[in-house]
Amino acid sequence: MKAAITDISGIGPAAAAALGEQGFGSLKALARASAEQVSAVPGFSDARAQKVIAAAAELLGAGNAGKAPSGAAETGGKDKKKKDRKKGSKDKKKKDRKKGKGKGKNKK
């Protein structure tokens, strides 16, 4: 059986209708939305929006065997940030060396 928005804890027919009126008529649309977008729906605070989005993503993930679990996307983002910081640090060192500011064999 295919999961529905009303399968999310705390989402009944009225909340599902309100979400649908704002363009969040499917779990996929809800999972891809930002908390800011969902909190614009009447009756949804920022905290409730975040919980509903996470629950939608989890329900979608449960039906997609073989795909990365919902937490994997979060970890991937953190790892990418670390790589970007390291890369930025390496780029700065290269620039400093070109300008003669870094450690080098010819430095006195």
Side-chain angles (χ1 to χ4, degrees), residues 92-108:
K92 183 175 179 350
K93 288 177 184 177
K94 284 181 183 178
K95 287 178 185 177
D96 287 346
R97 278 191 217 124
K98 286 182 180 180
K99 291 180 182 178
K101 293 181 182 179
K103 294 179 184 177
K105 293 180 181 178
N106 297 332
K107 285 286 183 184
K108 294 180 183 178

Side-chain angles (χ1 to χ4, degrees), residues 32-108:
R32 291 182 174 180
S34 70
E36 184 178 325
Q37 292 170 321
V38 177
S39 65
V41 176
F44 284 82
S45 65
D46 187 55
R48 185 178 185 195
Q50 290 177 13
K51 288 178 185 177
V52 168
I53 292 167
E58 188 173 328
L59 281 172
L60 284 174
N64 294 327
K67 290 196 176 184
S70 60
E74 294 173 20
T75 307
K78 289 180 184 177
D79 290 343
K80 183 175 179 349
K81 286 180 184 178
K82 284 183 183 178
K83 287 179 184 177
D84 288 346
R85 269 190 250 128
K86 286 180 181 179
K87 183 180 178 187
S89 177
K90 288 179 183 178
D91 289 344
K92 183 175 179 350
K93 288 177 184 177
K94 284 181 183 178
K95 287 178 185 177
D96 287 346
R97 278 191 217 124
K98 286 182 180 180
K99 291 180 182 178
K101 293 181 182 179
K103 294 179 184 177
K105 293 180 181 178
N106 297 332
K107 285 286 183 184
K108 294 180 183 178

Side-chain angles (χ1 to χ4, degrees), residues 4-12 15 27 44 48 51-53 55-56 59:
I5 288 179
T6 53
D7 291 337
I8 297 171
S9 178
I11 302 296
L27 285 173
F44 284 82
R48 185 178 185 195
K51 288 178 185 177
V52 168
I53 292 167
L59 281 172

